[in-house]
Amino acid sequence: MIRSLQTIAFITILSTMSPSLAMAEISPKEKLNSSIRSNSIAQNPNTQAGDTLINQQAYILGPGDEIQLTMFGQPNLFTTNYRVLVDGTVSLPLIGRVLVKGRSIGIAEREIAKRYIRFYRRPFITIVLVDARVVTLAISGEVRHPGTYPVESPTQIPTVTQLIQLAGGASQSADISQIKVRRPQENGKEQFISVNLLQLLQEGDLSQNLQLRDKDTVIIPTTTTVDFSNALLIRNASFSSDRSEPINIAIIGEVYRPGPHTIRPGSADVQEAGTLGNAKAASTELPTVTQAIQTAGGIKPEADIRQVKVIRRPHNGNPQEIIVNLWELLKAGDLSQDIALQAGDTIVVPKAVGLSAAELTELSTISFAPATIDVNVVGEVKRPGIIKIQPNTPLNTAMLAAGGFDDRRANKSKVKLIRLNPDGTVTQREIKIDLEQPLNEENNPALRNNDVVVVGRSGLTKVGDNLRNILAPITSSFGIFRILF
């Protein structure tokens, strides 16, 4: 009874000092929204008011945050900003310490308002985040730079995708449909929250882009299988791997320049077989399998592009083998087969068996084959020397490119083909040539880079050349005799 009388007397004294103090009423909805909006804008004039309000209301308070409080109708109650103390409380006029740690700004506003009901009728409290503490987040798994990230953002709460971007983007091995967020609880336990960013990309479900809290850990697992149907969608996502940096890969097998290569953003252009592909155009796209092949000088004529293998080593240490069918890219325009690469990938281009003449011709015209190969035509042709021809050009066409047979001297029935093999050995064979034959391995084979075609002399030419060599000393003597006499 005595305490109640004391409280009533205290309120009466306060009312006498400030008549409006005991009349803190909630204003109409329009006025309240205007008050909150103006307070939010005052802290960050460059931020859209609506976004600031939404983000700040969901912000989870913790030690180190600096906040500004206002009560509608009582502009002189809070004369300074307040820092959340180490124990998670703020010390406020009349009501003392209030625990706000672990509470969103919206919940903290309602909790503080309850405390002031003893002194004001229907108090309305507004809290604005003035200076956010440094929030520590962690990310592990399939991102380019896993680790911890201190984040200070007074107007925007970090989300899962924002943290992934801070970590350099998700790798091409990431299973973005099975992301987990590990969140510590006040009782010492941990909560695990599932996030499906594939659903965000496919359906625009923003609820999957979870707003993070202090000490959250985002775990991105490794995919077990490559989803070709969504490969392009994932590759072009805003949170995929950083596109601005070159990556180091290796490529072996049926390419002209096997070995390690550095792939830079943009496409490559292969002009001559055996030379490195040159950067052709700037791009913001991730490097792909075909770009790596172009950089490695292009495919050889007998490459099996149906069974190109990408060996990938995710962060969990278990190698993955991805089979890419580039023939589907050529025949059906399936761009998903041209998968994006990541640092450390190894590409294996195997050798095909039993390619048809039509397939060989088509392979010579694709964008990741070299534009030309070098073939050396020597002997009895009109323009002997190195000629540049398209890959898989048949022997007959190469002969015509060298001007054709020397009609007076050439043996037109057969030529010799000398070829340097990948293992360092040299093979040579005689080919019965028929300029009317279509492409075939027996009489009109497809030529390879650095092949040598030797056109021999006819029998009559050999006899004539031998006689000329025998008679050369005699004719020389007669010449000298005529000069002396």
XYZ file of all heavy atoms in Angstrom, residues 49-87:
304
model
N 14.832 4.522 -47.311
C 14.223 4.432 -45.989
C 13.548 3.090 -45.759
O 13.678 2.481 -44.710
C 13.222 5.565 -45.812
N 12.822 2.600 -46.736
C 12.106 1.342 -46.559
C 13.045 0.195 -46.273
O 12.830 -0.600 -45.367
N 14.139 0.104 -47.026
C 15.111 -0.968 -46.824
C 15.767 -0.862 -45.458
O 15.984 -1.847 -44.780
C 16.182 -0.920 -47.921
C 15.605 -1.268 -49.285
O 14.511 -1.867 -49.316
O 16.244 -0.925 -50.298
N 16.103 0.379 -45.048
C 16.755 0.580 -43.760
C 15.862 0.109 -42.627
O 16.299 -0.568 -41.705
C 17.092 2.068 -43.573
O 17.919 2.475 -44.645
C 17.828 2.303 -42.271
N 14.579 0.444 -42.694
C 13.646 0.050 -41.654
C 13.549 -1.466 -41.539
O 13.656 -2.023 -40.461
C 12.266 0.649 -41.952
C 11.122 0.208 -41.023
C 11.417 0.631 -39.602
C 9.801 0.768 -41.486
N 13.373 -2.123 -42.672
C 13.224 -3.577 -42.660
C 14.483 -4.240 -42.095
O 14.426 -5.080 -41.211
C 12.948 -4.087 -44.081
C 11.573 -3.597 -44.535
C 13.014 -5.606 -44.130
C 11.287 -3.865 -45.988
N 15.647 -3.819 -42.562
C 16.894 -4.432 -42.114
C 17.150 -4.173 -40.638
O 17.555 -5.066 -39.909
C 18.063 -3.900 -42.945
C 18.038 -4.443 -44.367
O 17.647 -5.575 -44.578
N 18.419 -3.634 -45.321
N 16.920 -2.941 -40.188
C 17.210 -2.612 -38.795
C 16.253 -3.327 -37.852
O 16.651 -3.741 -36.767
C 17.138 -1.105 -38.597
C 18.266 -0.361 -39.288
C 18.773 0.812 -38.484
O 18.271 1.101 -37.401
N 19.782 1.475 -38.990
N 15.005 -3.463 -38.212
C 14.052 -4.122 -37.330
C 14.433 -5.584 -37.087
O 14.155 -6.126 -36.027
C 12.643 -4.036 -37.928
C 12.001 -2.665 -37.785
C 11.672 -2.322 -36.338
O 10.879 -2.994 -35.693
N 12.319 -1.301 -35.812
N 15.068 -6.224 -38.057
C 15.434 -7.636 -37.904
C 16.822 -7.818 -37.292
O 17.199 -8.941 -36.979
C 15.372 -8.331 -39.256
N 17.565 -6.736 -37.130
C 18.944 -6.828 -36.641
C 18.956 -7.368 -35.215
O 18.167 -6.960 -34.356
C 19.593 -5.442 -36.689
C 21.048 -5.429 -36.289
C 22.036 -5.749 -37.206
C 21.424 -5.102 -34.986
C 23.371 -5.731 -36.846
C 22.757 -5.084 -34.614
C 23.733 -5.400 -35.553
O 25.056 -5.385 -35.178
N 19.863 -8.309 -34.937
C 19.991 -8.908 -33.612
C 21.039 -8.137 -32.827
O 22.199 -8.055 -33.238
C 20.369 -10.395 -33.705
C 19.347 -11.146 -34.551
C 20.470 -10.999 -32.312
C 17.933 -11.086 -34.033
N 20.631 -7.583 -31.708
C 21.531 -6.746 -30.899
C 22.515 -7.596 -30.116
O 22.251 -8.751 -29.781
C 20.708 -5.882 -29.948
C 19.818 -4.822 -30.614
C 18.832 -4.231 -29.613
C 20.673 -3.713 -31.225
N 23.670 -6.986 -29.803
C 24.688 -7.657 -29.022
C 25.649 -6.649 -28.426
O 25.590 -5.451 -28.745
N 26.546 -7.085 -27.553
C 27.495 -6.172 -26.911
C 28.316 -5.399 -27.934
O 28.846 -5.983 -28.884
C 28.378 -7.109 -26.087
C 27.524 -8.305 -25.827
C 26.686 -8.460 -27.049
N 28.396 -4.080 -27.739
C 29.149 -3.234 -28.647
C 28.289 -2.420 -29.575
O 28.753 -1.425 -30.136
N 27.035 -2.790 -29.778
C 26.135 -1.998 -30.618
C 25.808 -0.676 -29.941
O 25.598 -0.613 -28.723
C 24.829 -2.763 -30.882
C 25.006 -3.889 -31.878
O 25.888 -3.780 -32.735
O 24.260 -4.888 -31.787
N 25.755 0.377 -30.726
C 25.321 1.685 -30.222
C 23.944 1.992 -30.812
O 23.754 1.929 -32.025
C 26.308 2.785 -30.619
C 25.955 4.139 -30.047
C 26.941 5.229 -30.453
O 28.028 4.865 -30.954
O 26.628 6.419 -30.295
N 22.987 2.314 -29.925
C 21.621 2.536 -30.366
C 21.122 3.899 -29.916
O 21.614 4.473 -28.942
C 20.677 1.427 -29.853
C 20.727 1.335 -28.332
C 21.014 0.092 -30.495
C 19.758 0.311 -27.750
N 20.142 4.388 -30.652
C 19.464 5.632 -30.316
C 17.994 5.311 -30.037
O 17.350 4.632 -30.836
C 19.576 6.624 -31.472
C 18.918 7.965 -31.209
C 18.900 8.812 -32.461
O 18.138 8.528 -33.389
N 19.741 9.825 -32.492
N 17.479 5.808 -28.881
C 16.103 5.531 -28.504
C 15.295 6.823 -28.517
O 15.806 7.895 -28.164
C 16.012 4.906 -27.107
C 16.534 3.464 -26.966
C 18.016 3.458 -26.680
C 15.764 2.711 -25.888
N 14.055 6.718 -28.903
C 13.100 7.825 -28.798
C 11.776 7.271 -28.325
O 11.437 6.116 -28.602
C 12.892 8.525 -30.161
O 12.446 7.570 -31.118
C 14.170 9.191 -30.644
N 11.049 8.098 -27.560
C 9.688 7.768 -27.170
C 8.759 8.825 -27.743
O 9.004 10.027 -27.561
C 9.517 7.695 -25.645
C 8.083 7.343 -25.222
S 7.823 7.399 -23.447
C 8.755 5.976 -22.931
N 7.738 8.373 -28.435
C 6.812 9.319 -29.051
C 6.182 10.219 -27.986
O 5.635 9.746 -26.988
C 5.722 8.560 -29.807
C 4.736 9.469 -30.478
C 5.083 10.154 -31.628
C 3.471 9.651 -29.925
C 4.177 10.993 -32.236
C 2.572 10.489 -30.543
C 2.914 11.167 -31.694
N 6.288 11.522 -28.192
C 5.732 12.494 -27.263
C 6.665 12.881 -26.147
O 6.342 13.778 -25.362
N 7.837 12.229 -26.025
C 8.790 12.534 -24.953
C 10.189 12.749 -25.548
O 11.078 11.919 -25.428
C 8.816 11.392 -23.931
C 7.500 11.132 -23.249
C 7.019 12.341 -22.468
O 7.809 13.067 -21.852
N 5.711 12.585 -22.487
N 10.409 13.864 -26.232
C 11.683 14.083 -26.923
C 12.876 14.250 -25.990
O 14.008 14.116 -26.424
C 11.427 15.359 -27.720
C 10.352 16.070 -26.969
C 9.469 15.003 -26.402
N 12.634 14.533 -24.687
C 13.748 14.802 -23.771
C 14.060 13.633 -22.844
O 14.884 13.772 -21.941
C 13.426 16.042 -22.914
C 13.248 17.286 -23.769
O 13.985 17.498 -24.727
N 12.253 18.101 -23.432
N 13.391 12.498 -23.046
C 13.631 11.378 -22.142
C 15.005 10.756 -22.386
O 15.762 10.494 -21.449
C 12.539 10.319 -22.335
C 12.685 9.059 -21.485
C 12.676 9.389 -19.995
C 11.578 8.052 -21.820
N 15.362 10.520 -23.650
C 16.660 9.913 -23.982
C 17.544 11.000 -24.589
O 17.331 11.430 -25.715
C 16.482 8.757 -24.966
C 15.539 7.694 -24.494
C 14.267 7.559 -25.047
C 15.907 6.828 -23.469
C 13.399 6.581 -24.621
C 15.030 5.843 -23.030
C 13.770 5.722 -23.601
N 18.511 11.456 -23.836
C 19.325 12.602 -24.260
C 20.644 12.200 -24.906
O 21.407 13.059 -25.347
C 19.620 13.501 -23.046
O 20.306 12.722 -22.051
C 18.327 14.050 -22.455
N 20.922 10.905 -24.969
C 22.188 10.441 -25.540
C 21.993 9.082 -26.183
O 20.944 8.442 -25.999
C 23.271 10.348 -24.441
O 24.518 9.998 -25.048
C 22.907 9.285 -23.411
N 22.975 8.652 -26.927
C 22.952 7.299 -27.465
C 23.401 6.319 -26.387
O 24.090 6.697 -25.418
C 23.859 7.179 -28.682
C 23.371 8.004 -29.856
O 22.198 8.368 -29.911
N 24.251 8.311 -30.794
N 23.068 5.052 -26.563
C 23.371 4.041 -25.555
C 24.132 2.893 -26.202
O 23.790 2.430 -27.283
C 22.081 3.523 -24.902
C 21.319 4.607 -24.177
C 20.359 5.359 -24.844
C 21.572 4.881 -22.833
C 19.669 6.358 -24.196
C 20.889 5.886 -22.171
C 19.947 6.628 -22.862
O 19.269 7.644 -22.208
N 25.173 2.444 -25.493
C 25.991 1.330 -25.954
C 25.556 0.062 -25.219
O 25.395 0.070 -24.000
C 27.460 1.605 -25.688
C 28.431 0.553 -26.186
C 28.627 0.612 -27.686
N 29.325 1.816 -28.133
C 29.668 2.041 -29.386
N 29.372 1.133 -30.323
N 30.271 3.165 -29.730
N 25.353 -1.035 -25.966
C 25.028 -2.316 -25.331
C 26.270 -2.810 -24.605
O 27.340 -2.939 -25.191
C 24.554 -3.346 -26.376
C 24.211 -4.673 -25.690
C 23.342 -2.823 -27.132
N 26.117 -3.065 -23.313
C 27.256 -3.426 -22.466
C 27.669 -4.884 -22.681
O 26.989 -5.646 -23.369
C 26.896 -3.170 -21.005
C 26.470 -1.729 -20.677
C 26.045 -1.610 -19.215
C 27.570 -0.742 -21.011
N 28.796 -5.244 -22.049
C 29.340 -6.592 -22.222
C 28.350 -7.651 -21.778
O 28.286 -8.747 -22.355
C 30.665 -6.723 -21.442
C 31.202 -8.154 -21.519
C 31.702 -5.757 -21.981
N 27.542 -7.347 -20.742
C 26.559 -8.329 -20.266
C 25.289 -8.357 -21.108
O 24.334 -9.068 -20.793
C 26.209 -8.069 -18.803
C 25.577 -6.691 -18.589
O 25.445 -5.929 -19.575
O 25.218 -6.370 -17.440
